Amino acid sequence: MTRYAAFLRGVNVGGVTLKMADVAAALTGAGFDNVATVLASGNVVLDARGSAATVRQKAEAALREAFGYDAWVLVYELDTVAAIAENYPFTPEVDGHHSYVTFVSDPDMLDELAELGDDAGPEEKIARGDGVLYWQVPKSSTLDSTIGKTMGKKRYKSSTTTRNLRTLTKVLR
């Protein structure tokens, strides 16, 4: 068994509203073990056999069946999430700023998003990581930032999801 983090895209942040207890029940019913949700924004830690890709397909199917929405889930081994968080390239806690990690499952899309760093404003920091985009932005301009405006587009829905660095710390506990 491998311990995984599953990040649900667009849950309880202006999109689909789900109770995390119901999400945990649906994933447990799909055959995952030791399912635990973290916060109410679509963060799940679970044990499973198989690859991250297999876990992703199974989790998406279970959520689509249980809740009737177009579920998108990005799945990573918990050790991978720990390495991603440890490699955050900016000062993690800057007053008045959010520190984010955008998980990107499509390498071409990651290339495209990483190029946005050239267009970022002076207060927005963007750096490419291994399968992720590290991002730091003033709290008042998240949705108006280069990355914020881009990530809202439909084409990124199935391949990306963003988490605050503090959220990742809670997922890893």
Side-chain angles (χ1 to χ4, degrees):
M1 289 283 225
T2 302
R3 193 80 171 145
Y4 288 101
F7 301 112
L8 286 61
R9 170 84 147 96
V11 172
N12 296 345
V13 289
V16 176
T17 302
L18 301 177
K19 292 183 180 183
M20 290 299 102
D22 295 340
V23 168
L27 294 173
T28 299
F32 297 112
D33 294 321
N34 299 315
V35 177
T37 60
V38 180
L39 304 172
S41 53
N43 308 294
V44 182
V45 181
L46 54 83
D47 292 335
R49 290 184 181 12
S51 69
T54 300
V55 172
R56 178 182 180 173
Q57 290 173 335
K58 189 174 176 181
E60 287 177 345
L63 295 171
R64 287 174 180 155
E65 182 177 322
F67 303 107
Y69 82 104
D70 201 12
W72 300 107
V73 181
L74 276 72
V75 176
Y76 299 85
E77 289 187 20
L78 212 53
D79 290 344
T80 300
V81 175
I84 288 167
E86 286 174 24
N87 288 319
Y88 191 78
F90 313 121
T91 302
E93 295 290 332
V94 175
D95 193 39
H97 287 72
H98 288 296
S99 297
Y100 291 118
V101 176
T102 298
F103 294 87
V104 186
S105 63
D106 180 323
D108 292 333
M109 200 165 281
L110 180 58
D111 290 341
E112 180 183 318
L113 291 169
E115 289 176 12
L116 293 174
D118 297 336
D119 299 326
E123 294 290 316
E124 184 177 12
K125 296 179 182 178
I126 299 168
R128 183 191 178 120
D130 186 16
V132 298
L133 195 69
Y134 294 109
W135 176 40
Q136 193 169 68
V137 64
K139 289 183 177 180
S140 61
S141 63
T142 300
L143 295 177
D144 295 324
S145 68
T146 303
I147 294 292
K149 286 189 253 184
T150 303
M151 295 300 294
K153 295 178 182 172
K154 186 177 181 179
R155 67 183 298 262
Y156 295 100
K157 214 175 192 181
S158 66
S159 301
T160 66
T161 192
T162 299
R163 293 297 184 274
N164 191 295
L165 193 57
R166 289 179 181 172
T167 298
L168 295 184
T169 300
K170 291 176 182 173
V171 167
L172 292 167
R173 287 187 188 156

